[in-house]
Amino acid sequence: MIIKEIELNNFRIYKHSNIISLAPEGKKNISLISGRNGFGKTTFLMSLVWCLYGKQMQEVDDLYQKEIGDQGGYNKYIINSLNRLAKVEGETQFFVAITFSKLNIPDLPCKEIRIKRTYDIETTTGETVEILIDGIANELTNDLGPEYFIRDYILPKEIAKFFFFDAEKITALAEVNSPEQRKKLSEAYSEVLGIKKYEELKGNLEELQIKLRQESASENERKELIALTSSIDIIDLDIEEHEAKIANNKDAILEKRKESNDIQEKLIRAGSAITVEELNKLRNNEAELSTRLDDLMTELKEQFEIIPFAIAGSKFSDVSLQIENEANFKKLQYQHDNIKGITDKVLNDLLKEKKPENIVIDHNVHAYYSDLFKSLIKKHFFADAPELESDFKTIHDYSDSERGELNALLNSVKFSFKESFKRITGDVNQTKNELNLIRKKLRDAEANSEDSVISGYRIKKDKLDTDIMHLETLNSEFDKNIGAQEANKVQINKKIIDITKKLNVSKANKAKDELVTSQINNLKEFIKQFKEDKKRSLEKQILKGLETLMHKKDFVKKVQVDIIGDDIDIRLFNNRKEEIKKETLSKGEQQMYATSLLSGLVEESNIDFPVFIDSPMQKFDEQHAENIVKYFYPKVSDQVVIFPLINKELSQKEFNMLEPNISKTYLINNLHEDSSEFKEIEPSRFIKTYNKMYNDAN
């Protein structure tokens, strides 16, 4: 897949129509777009994310979430995205359009797809998305809806961060600490590695099997199943309603917080207690601590969920032992079935052999030698196989992945829960104290004047802050409710499965049930092997990237990817087999790790999508920068678009190394403080033209 062309029309700093062509030329797969800070590099990257995801762009990356939050929520952000000069001239509409070519979409052969997202600040509909396939609308996009089409056929938003990224900010991938962060990242890894689609397919087959078996249920069983299924539908509606309320409250919080901060700035200016720079620093600290506190509270909530297991420690161990015994029993049963199968096959072959007419074998003799033959086969060929316990009962029947998750939880309870709980509660208290201290400084900095205007500001700000606290409390309650409903849903689903397992499938559905069962078992084995293959392959890719890019060649000796259930974790080890904590790496080393991780994920994803990189070499020394230019940018994708600051993030020497792979170069020419345009430059004259345009002696 190639992005052939992008058009920005009245989007933020890009006044009227600005079209840029980015199609690679042969093996030249890199395009460069540069300009000074504030001319529109980051805006260009944001325009692509907005075109594809609209309001959901804030779910792609913290960078976009912060930008939207700073402007008081998505509604204000998007209304403010109309170019200011165009607005003065009476225009009300802006759009971004992306034209894709060389697509490979199953059952949809085409040359081009054009996605155009438009916003009109004066219409009630506001935002619209148009998708044209080879110039015309298509039933598939209409049936699915544009958002689903983009997610399913172009690029899922969960993994867009791996293809649109700020190279300076990707160090966040090395600083994931909270369970919530790990959960989100694990979901993204699962999506990009292709694990999620097979898990979903298995889930669909399991749902189909339940429906087949439910058809043979008795009247009472059917009533119970209908009641349980209805309960799940009600829970799903309840969760959906609460999630919608949370989203609305978050938008309201962003708007009120922006208004509150603006008033606070006026109060501080009136009081002249601190400078605006000091105010912004305090606000940044407050935002960081608030985020930290949210993460800790999520972590603490997960610890609370473990407490019942810690209290019932001995019972939990008994359950774990039973499940382990069940797994061993299942293996043993399989082994005995294998022995029986081989023995029966040999006995059947013996029976088929023609016997001499003078030998008479009655049923007693046949039974005696048959039993003796079975015991001798076992004695001489399967002597190591222990006997099955005749009275053993399977209670839980866990799969391998479920058993792995339970053992991980048990190990957490045994070895780390107490210390983790102590550490988290300590960190929560410390973070709350630091947050209260900063908020006190902010309050103290506000004007103490009793001027009526100042007094009015203070009353309004207090009202806004009270509203924010109320909305945050409501969201916290909604979150708790969703958690309780999800847990309830798991229990109801378990009841449905337990009832369904006991049902005898009808004759009409027996063949279908056997086929579905076979496919589910095959898929389980496939997923298990697929995860193992992806684990090994990703380990090799990341290690290869680190060895290629880092100048400390023996610093990381081993990369270990752990996949347990839905959780995916990546660990680094040195040559002494000691784990290297990623948060202890320098910023440059973290960027190297994150770059190697991204390269490995893109390689393993089999998703053919262009890679866009902002702030490409912010934290690199000369050798690291050279390695990135030589080994990463030319190979990470068939189409790479880089947004460097010339002479700071890309020197003449680095440009010369990259030049054989460069197809197009553009400078963002700033015509007015509210208007920029793209200016295509011949690659050989790119840096010279940049220096001349900006009077740079270099």
Side-chain angles (χ1 to χ4, degrees), residues 576-636:
R576 295 185 299 278
K577 299 181 180 179
E578 299 166 337
E579 185 174 357
I580 303 166
K581 296 295 182 185
K582 294 188 284 289
E583 59 270 23
T584 65
L585 299 173
S586 68
K587 286 295 178 186
E589 288 168 343
Q590 285 184 349
Q591 197 165 341
M592 279 290 137
Y593 160 74
T595 302
S596 301
L597 170 59
L598 287 164
S599 179
L601 286 168
V602 172
E603 183 69 27
E604 287 302 308
S605 71
N606 294 321
I607 295 172
D608 182 19
F609 198 87
V611 171
F612 290 76
I613 306 161
D614 196 9
S615 304
M617 286 176 281
Q618 195 69 270
K619 300 292 181 184
F620 296 145
D621 58 31
E622 187 178 350
Q623 187 176 348
H624 280 149
E626 187 173 321
N627 288 342
I628 287 285
V629 167
K630 279 184 180 178
Y631 306 115
F632 178 63
Y633 293 146
K635 298 176 183 178
V636 68

Side-chain angles (χ1 to χ4, degrees), residues 3 60 260 265 283 409 523 610 661:
I3 289 182
V60 171
S260 174
E265 191 168 323
R283 278 185 185 160
L409 178 58
L523 202 48
N661 299 100

Side-chain angles (χ1 to χ4, degrees), residues 138-351:
N138 186 279
E139 284 184 15
L140 177 63
T141 62
N142 292 332
D143 292 344
L144 279 176
E147 308 297 348
Y148 284 102
F149 178 82
I150 292 167
R151 186 195 69 189
D152 291 346
Y153 292 98
I154 304 296
L155 186 70
K157 74 175 185 298
E158 292 84 0
I159 60 175
K161 70 173 70 193
F162 300 133
F163 296 89
F164 301 101
F165 64 88
D166 184 322
E168 185 182 10
K169 302 290 191 300
I170 59 167
T171 55
L173 292 175
E175 298 170 333
V176 174
N177 294 313
S178 75
E180 190 66 22
Q181 288 172 317
R182 264 185 66 171
K183 183 182 176 184
K184 285 182 181 177
L185 206 52
S186 291
E187 287 171 358
Y189 290 156
S190 180
E191 179 87 59
V192 80
L193 292 174
I195 296 169
K196 185 180 176 183
K197 63 182 178 183
Y198 292 113
E199 294 283 7
E200 287 176 349
L201 178 58
K202 180 171 73 72
N204 291 338
L205 285 173
E206 286 169 342
E207 284 180 14
L208 174 61
Q209 186 176 55
I210 287 171
K211 286 177 182 175
L212 287 171
R213 293 184 177 181
Q214 284 177 358
E215 288 180 21
S216 63
S218 67
E219 188 177 345
N220 288 336
E221 288 167 335
R222 193 174 285 113
K223 282 180 180 177
E224 187 176 1
L225 288 168
I226 289 169
L228 291 170
T229 306
S230 298
S231 298
I232 287 178
D233 291 340
I234 291 167
I235 287 171
D236 285 339
L237 286 171
D238 194 42
I239 288 172
E240 192 178 321
E241 184 183 338
H242 280 90
E243 285 176 343
K245 286 179 179 177
I246 287 171
N248 290 334
N249 286 348
K250 281 182 176 178
D251 287 342
I253 287 168
L254 289 173
E255 288 182 19
K256 290 176 182 292
R257 184 167 286 140
K258 174 73 166 62
E259 195 176 349
S260 174
N261 286 342
D262 289 345
I263 293 172
Q264 187 177 57
E265 191 168 323
K266 289 174 183 175
L267 290 169
I268 287 171
R269 282 181 185 276
S272 301
I274 60 173
T275 64
V276 174
E277 289 75 18
E278 289 170 332
L279 169 64
N280 289 332
K281 188 176 179 182
L282 282 172
R283 278 185 185 160
N284 288 336
N285 289 341
E286 182 187 24
E288 286 172 9
L289 286 168
S290 293
T291 302
R292 169 79 174 141
L293 186 60
D294 287 343
D295 290 341
L296 284 168
M297 293 306 292
T298 302
E299 205 171 344
L300 190 60
K301 181 183 169 186
E302 293 193 0
Q303 293 290 311
F304 282 138
E305 291 171 0
I306 296 174
I307 287 175
F309 295 99
I311 293 170
S314 60
K315 291 287 183 186
F316 192 16
S317 294
D318 290 344
V319 170
S320 176
L321 181 61
Q322 169 69 19
I323 289 168
E324 202 63 40
N325 288 338
E326 286 179 14
N328 294 333
F329 182 78
K330 198 182 288 185
K331 287 177 188 174
L332 193 57
Q333 203 169 34
Y334 178 80
Q335 198 172 2
H336 276 263
D337 289 344
N338 189 33
I339 294 168
K340 185 178 181 300
I342 292 169
T343 306
D344 289 347
K345 191 174 179 181
V346 174
L347 284 170
N348 287 333
D349 287 347
L350 280 172
L351 286 170

Side-chain angles (χ1 to χ4, degrees), residues 351-579:
L351 286 170
K352 290 174 187 175
E353 290 294 325
K354 191 174 181 182
K355 297 184 288 293
E357 293 179 2
N358 60 336
I359 296 176
V360 178
I361 301 175
D362 65 20
H363 73 278
N364 290 322
V365 174
H366 178 273
Y368 170 77
Y369 280 106
S370 176
D371 292 342
L372 181 62
F373 183 79
K374 288 177 183 177
S375 66
L376 289 172
I377 286 278
K378 186 173 185 309
K379 177 182 176 183
H380 292 290
F381 295 99
F382 302 101
D384 295 335
E387 292 296 328
L388 279 168
E389 295 179 39
S390 58
D391 60 344
F392 185 82
K393 288 184 180 178
T394 297
I395 302 171
H396 306 286
D397 195 22
Y398 273 29
S399 65
D400 288 344
S401 61
E402 289 171 331
R403 190 159 50 89
E405 289 177 45
L406 184 124
N407 286 334
L409 178 58
L410 181 61
N411 288 332
S412 173
V413 170
K414 278 183 177 178
F415 305 115
S416 61
F417 169 71
K418 186 178 178 182
E419 288 303 316
S420 293
F421 188 75
K422 186 177 177 182
R423 174 188 62 78
I424 295 164
T425 50
D427 288 350
V428 165
N429 291 332
Q430 183 181 343
T431 305
K432 280 182 176 178
N433 290 337
E434 290 176 11
L435 195 56
N436 289 335
L437 188 62
I438 284 176
R439 285 172 176 167
K440 185 177 183 301
K441 285 181 181 178
L442 286 168
R443 285 196 302 272
D444 291 345
E446 292 171 5
N448 292 316
S449 168
E450 291 307 315
D451 179 272
S452 59
V453 175
I454 297 297
S455 179
Y457 279 149
R458 187 174 290 108
I459 291 168
K460 190 173 181 181
K461 184 180 181 302
D462 288 343
K463 174 70 168 58
L464 287 166
D465 291 344
T466 302
D467 289 347
I468 290 168
M469 286 178 64
H470 175 65
L471 290 169
E472 287 176 336
T473 302
L474 281 177
N475 276 1
S476 179
E477 291 301 318
F478 291 149
D479 275 329
K480 285 179 187 175
N481 184 275
I482 289 171
Q485 294 283 48
E486 291 284 8
N488 191 20
K489 188 176 169 182
V490 168
Q491 293 304 314
I492 293 170
N493 273 319
K494 192 173 184 309
K495 283 182 185 177
I496 291 172
I497 292 167
D498 288 343
I499 293 169
T500 309
K501 275 183 179 178
K502 295 171 186 174
L503 298 175
N504 294 316
V505 70
S506 65
K507 286 181 181 180
N509 289 333
K510 191 170 183 182
K512 292 178 186 176
D513 184 74
E514 287 174 354
L515 178 61
V516 172
T517 301
S518 172
Q519 294 301 322
I520 289 171
N521 291 334
N522 290 339
L523 202 48
K524 282 180 179 177
E525 282 301 312
F526 173 80
I527 290 170
K528 184 180 176 183
Q529 189 59 49
F530 184 76
K531 283 183 177 180
E532 190 60 32
D533 291 344
K534 283 294 180 185
K535 162 187 158 64
R536 289 176 185 158
S537 188
L538 186 58
E539 286 171 347
K540 287 179 184 176
Q541 291 286 356
I542 297 171
L543 185 59
K544 179 184 173 184
L546 288 168
E547 288 174 342
T548 302
L549 299 178
M550 294 186 86
H551 46 63
K552 290 195 279 187
K553 298 299 179 188
D554 292 325
F555 180 54
V556 178
K557 205 68 178 174
K558 179 186 174 185
V559 175
Q560 183 173 311
V561 177
D562 296 324
I563 305 177
I564 302 172
D566 295 328
D567 187 59
I568 299 176
D569 191 22
I570 299 167
R571 300 161 70 195
L572 309 178
F573 294 87
N574 60 25
N575 55 10
R576 295 185 299 278
K577 299 181 180 179
E578 299 166 337
E579 185 174 357

